[in-house]
Amino acid sequence: MNTPIQSRKDITPAAKNTLLIYLSTTLAVLLLMMVFGAVLRAGQAQIINLDLTLFYKLMTLHGAGMVGISGLGSAAVMWYFLSKYIKLSTGILIANLVFFLLGVVLILGAILIGDFAAGWTFLYPLPVKSMNIWSIESAATYLFGLLFIGVGFLLLYLDIGLALIKSYGGLSRSLGWHCLFGNSKEFPPATVVASTMVLIINTLGILVGAVVLIISLINAFYPAFQPDALLVKSLIFFFGHVFINAAIYMAVIAVYEILPTYTNRPWKVNKIFLAAWSFSTLMVLAVVPHHMLMDFNVPTWLATIGQIGSYISGIPVLIITVYGALTIVYKSGIRWDLAAGLLFMSMYGWASGVIPAIVDATIHVNTVMHNTQWVPGHFHFYLLLGVLPMIFGFMLHITKKPSNENTMNNSDKASLFIYLFAGVGFVMAFLYSGKNSVPRRWGVHLDEWLATDQVATVFAVLIIIAFFVIASKFFLRLPNLLRH
Amino acid sequence: MNPTFLPWLITITCLLIVASAFTFVISSSRTRNEDYDDIVKRSYKFRKIFFIVFLLGGIIITSLTMKNLPYDAHAKVSGDVIKVNATGHQWYWDIDKTHFIVGQPVIFNVTSADVNHGFGIYNDKLTLLNQTQAMPGYINKLVHTFDKPGKYKILCLEYCGLSHHAMVAELTVTEQ
């Protein structure tokens, strides 16, 4: 019996192997970044004596690494399923990986050799004003690294865009507008709708990112060129916000495609589904000002959009997807295995992470929560317990030999439970610290804050153990799959 | 009341509701109801109610929270107002007045001489009371009225380099 990825006859062996390398890279980088994350928390907790230069370098690496690798793993999910409906180029898939790895090498060099530590968001003008801690060349290397990664993703989206237009006759049709606004009953598959949304938002996001990276690079080498700090910040946050949201929307395709196979119930695309995804396409782009509610020179009407937009932005898709997942699992007689459990968990993490995000998008709350640990609390909720379980569930599903019985052995149950338990504990520690006004991104914590940091460190270690078990399952299957 | 208590309470309540919904569905997932159309029908009905409740909640919260925004507070504040210049540097605060009187409104003209910083006002219990960004080329006018005497701290809330955590200044507030 073949695994789902082996059974696919419509994609080349090279594409299959490339996807497996995407996933292996994702797991390897994740492990490293999780260890760095735990080291950062242990340093804040004063469990270990972490050199402060190293703390801020690792903080920069952890941020860039986690955002980048979430994008790569999620892209694998989208490509795998989207290629069932449209013909995609294996060469471009490989090119994206090559650009990504080149970018990673540059970023690693900038940080580990060049001591670059301006945070992954490279907020202008910090990269060029380090108080001589790192050089202009280090900053430029980091910026070029991000640019390489962006170029790879742009190529991937270009290929996807062309294929969607070719197969569906335009992006409006692959978003299903002919059904939404017309009488057609030829609904595009959920994967195609979601991929079109991602294509639109992330192409814009990465293009804006490229612009701001080039602005930053010009400033690095020609300091007389001094861009407006507020404009650059807006562009950076637009890029970062859209890129990480796109990662979620790419990875959630795994839920649409895989969960119905466990419940033997279809995931129906209807007008409400299409309306929700179209609406979210606009709203994801419109809510960016919620990152800048404490910049009082941003026009008040934009800040207002930031708050109100945040309340309604993800909700349509969230209600459609999370609620849809709950509905197809309810009284389905599902036989749980680790992959199904992880995918279902991802819906819990996504839905939960949105709550503290919306709360913090309220301007009066943002006044006392912005840039406290509340912020990493909410985004770890939907990355650690949302996006990552989507990717894990996907990789375990496509590499598993089919059997009549979906089963969970003790190690599956233990890893799932520990990952969930420790994950919730870890993010709640962040949220609790945020409630207690603990600033984010501080290498030195005051005595009053240490107890929560120490608890968070224990949870971080537990997460890594559970992750290791989950990742091992995939790596043990890998040699057979590659040989095949 | 601690200004973060209500957001915390709302968050915990909503998180518990989400967790309960997932627990309920998991606990009922192993038995199979073949009439999926009926489940979908009931589910859609409940989804509609949920959506309306969410929408109404959002409208009510928005209308309640859109008043007294901090952005133009400096133009509205009246009485014996004190204006203070606060400039962030790597890695210290340059504040031209650090002693204040309870009840007297203060307008902090916050800016930066180099990179982005965050100007966070903390009380003696290390609770964050108010903040704005300190950005090169811009002045953010933050209005704050101290309501209790004591020692207050200014902590940097935007990562600004390797001694970001060391950017702490102290303010003193007295009754007179």
Side-chain angles (χ1 to χ4, degrees):
Chain A
M1 290 281 269
N2 282 334
T3 62
I5 191 169
Q6 288 170 328
S7 305
R8 289 279 301 270
K9 305 290 179 210
D10 51 345
I11 52 175
T12 61
K16 291 178 189 177
N17 285 343
T18 308
L19 286 170
L20 292 172
I21 295 169
Y22 265 65
L23 293 173
S24 307
T25 309
T26 302
L27 292 178
V29 174
L30 274 177
L31 178 62
L32 200 61
M33 294 305 138
M34 280 186 180
V35 170
F36 289 163
V39 168
L40 291 172
R41 292 302 267 147
Q44 287 176 326
Q46 296 181 14
I47 294 170
I48 58 169
N49 188 11
L50 186 60
D51 172 73
L52 281 171
T53 309
L54 185 59
F55 177 91
Y56 290 113
K57 282 165 64 175
L58 290 183
M59 184 190 80
T60 304
L61 193 52
H62 177 80
M66 282 301 193
V67 171
I69 210 62
S70 299
L72 191 81
S74 302
V77 175
M78 180 173 71
W79 202 97
Y80 178 84
F81 289 115
L82 190 58
S83 58
K84 284 189 347 190
Y85 308 104
I86 57 175
K87 190 163 172 46
L88 296 174
S89 158
T90 305
I92 297 288
L93 184 69
I94 295 170
N96 181 37
L97 183 64
V98 171
F99 272 107
F100 186 89
L101 294 175
L102 282 172
V104 168
V105 169
L106 290 176
I107 289 169
L108 283 173
I111 295 171
L112 298 179
I113 300 169
D115 289 336
F116 180 77
W120 93 266
T121 47
F122 59 94
L123 208 52
Y124 168 82
L126 183 56
V128 292
K129 286 191 177 174
S130 70
M131 301 290 273
N132 298 321
I133 306 289
W134 60 83
S135 65
I136 297 293
E137 288 74 21
S138 296
T141 307
Y142 176 85
L143 297 171
F144 270 118
L146 287 185
L147 205 54
F148 269 63
I149 292 174
V151 168
F153 273 98
L154 273 182
L155 284 175
L156 190 74
Y157 290 132
L158 189 65
D159 181 48
I160 290 172
L162 289 172
L164 281 171
I165 291 167
K166 210 170 161 185
S167 302
Y168 287 87
L171 296 183
S172 67
R173 289 185 72 82
S174 56
L175 270 178
W177 283 7
H178 57 296
C179 305
L180 186 60
F181 302 114
N183 294 323
S184 173
K185 298 286 178 210
E186 287 177 23
F187 289 94
T191 296
V192 169
V193 177
S195 302
T196 308
M197 183 267 202
V198 168
L199 167 76
I200 294 168
I201 64 164
N202 219 11
T203 302
L204 280 171
I206 293 172
L207 281 175
V208 168
V211 167
V212 78
L213 285 165
I214 290 166
I215 287 175
S216 301
L217 280 164
I218 294 172
N219 168 258
F221 292 112
Y222 302 98
F225 170 71
Q226 295 202 339
D228 182 276
L230 188 58
L231 173 69
V232 174
K233 187 178 182 181
S234 312
L235 297 175
I236 290 173
F237 284 0
F238 183 91
F239 156 65
H241 166 90
V242 170
F243 190 86
I244 201 63
N245 269 278
I248 302 174
Y249 292 124
M250 287 191 279
V252 80
I253 291 170
V255 178
Y256 290 146
E257 291 276 354
I258 300 171
L259 214 47
T261 66
Y262 282 87
T263 59
N264 289 319
R265 289 170 172 174
W267 197 299
K268 284 182 186 160
V269 174
N270 53 27
K271 285 196 174 189
I272 291 178
F273 180 93
L274 296 175
W277 274 92
S278 288
F279 186 66
S280 287
T281 308
L282 287 176
M283 292 313 295
V284 166
L285 302 173
V287 301
V288 175
H290 73 192
H291 293 283
M292 303 180 67
L293 298 176
M294 290 302 106
D295 286 284
F296 291 3
N297 282 287
V298 169
T300 303
W301 63 269
L302 260 179
T304 308
I305 288 178
Q307 173 172 329
I308 298 173
S310 302
Y311 286 2
I312 52 179
S313 83
I315 296 306
V317 166
L318 206 58
I319 287 180
I320 298 300
T321 304
V322 174
Y323 200 79
L326 289 170
T327 306
I328 67 164
V329 169
Y330 177 70
K331 287 196 176 171
S332 62
I334 186 173
R335 293 181 188 279
W336 294 100
D337 67 3
L338 186 54
L342 284 161
L343 290 171
F344 197 63
M345 183 209 292
S346 75
M347 294 289 92
Y348 161 74
W350 193 23
S352 300
V354 167
I355 294 163
I358 288 178
V359 168
D360 188 35
T362 310
I363 295 166
H364 285 293
V365 176
N366 200 257
T367 299
V368 290
M369 292 291 203
H370 181 63
N371 278 349
T372 67
Q373 290 203 332
W374 190 268
V375 182
H378 87 69
F379 67 66
H380 276 86
F381 223 134
Y382 51 58
L383 294 178
L384 182 64
L385 292 167
V387 175
L388 297 193
M390 288 174 197
I391 297 171
F392 300 159
F394 162 74
M395 73 187 194
L396 291 180
H397 174 76
I398 65 165
T399 57
K400 186 190 172 192
K401 290 200 170 166
S403 68
N404 294 329
E405 290 284 316
N406 290 325
T407 52
M408 281 181 109
N409 60 30
N410 286 339
S411 82
D412 292 344
K413 284 179 190 164
S415 56
L416 188 68
F417 174 76
I418 293 171
Y419 191 88
L420 176 64
F421 170 76
V424 172
F426 183 75
V427 295
M428 288 311 295
F430 266 139
L431 292 175
Y432 183 72
S433 293
K435 177 228 166 213
N436 289 334
S437 307
V438 179
R440 69 185 289 208
R441 293 174 159 170
W442 271 41
V444 177
H445 273 195
L446 304 179
D447 290 347
E448 292 88 332
W449 304 334
L450 297 185
T452 317
D453 299 335
Q454 288 160 358
V455 172
T457 309
V458 174
F459 283 131
V461 173
L462 287 173
I463 291 167
I464 293 169
I465 293 169
F467 166 76
F468 194 77
V469 176
I470 294 168
S472 302
K473 252 180 121 76
F474 173 81
F475 280 120
L476 287 172
R477 294 171 185 172
L478 200 57
N480 267 340
L481 292 168
L482 288 173
R483 220 176 292 136
H484 180 91
Chain B
M1 188 171 69
N2 187 320
T4 55
F5 179 72
L6 193 58
W8 170 252
L9 189 68
I10 291 169
T11 303
I12 294 294
T13 307
C14 294
L15 286 175
L16 285 174
I17 292 170
V18 170
S20 306
F22 275 81
T23 309
F24 168 72
V25 170
I26 289 174
S27 64
S28 65
S29 66
R30 285 184 186 274
T31 55
R32 184 164 180 91
N33 181 343
E34 292 297 343
D35 191 358
Y36 185 50
D37 287 341
D38 181 56
I39 289 176
V40 168
K41 210 168 139 188
R42 283 188 288 144
S43 160
Y44 280 7
K45 203 187 243 176
F46 188 73
R47 188 175 71 181
K48 202 180 277 177
I49 296 169
F50 178 62
F51 187 73
I52 291 167
V53 168
F54 192 89
L55 202 66
L56 285 176
I59 291 168
I60 292 168
I61 292 171
T62 302
S63 59
L64 290 176
T65 58
M66 277 297 163
K67 292 169 189 159
N68 302 323
L69 297 181
Y71 311 120
D72 58 351
H74 61 91
K76 293 177 180 168
V77 67
S78 59
D80 187 13
V81 182
I82 292 189
K83 292 183 180 174
V84 180
N85 295 318
T87 305
H89 298 258
Q90 287 172 309
W91 289 286
Y92 62 94
W93 291 105
D94 180 10
I95 305 173
D96 60 13
K97 183 174 168 56
T98 56
H99 183 259
F100 302 97
I101 307 292
V102 169
Q104 188 172 33
V106 183
I107 299 177
F108 290 100
N109 293 318
V110 181
T111 189
S112 166
D114 38 51
V115 300
N116 290 283
H117 302 279
F119 183 86
I121 303 175
Y122 280 71
N123 67 12
D124 56 353
K125 289 179 184 148
L126 285 174
T127 300
L128 176 58
L129 303 175
N130 216 333
Q131 67 167 305
T132 189
Q133 289 278 294
M135 180 177 274
Y138 286 91
I139 294 172
N140 288 335
K141 293 176 185 293
L142 176 69
V143 178
H144 188 77
T145 304
F146 295 96
D147 60 0
K148 281 180 191 155
K151 297 281 184 195
Y152 289 76
K153 284 190 166 70
I154 304 299
L155 269 54
C156 184
L157 288 177
E158 188 65 70
Y159 177 61
C160 56
L162 292 199
S163 289
H164 165 54
H165 55 274
M167 270 189 74
V168 180
E170 199 166 270
L171 309 178
T172 306
V173 177
T174 55
E175 295 281 6
Q176 289 299 323

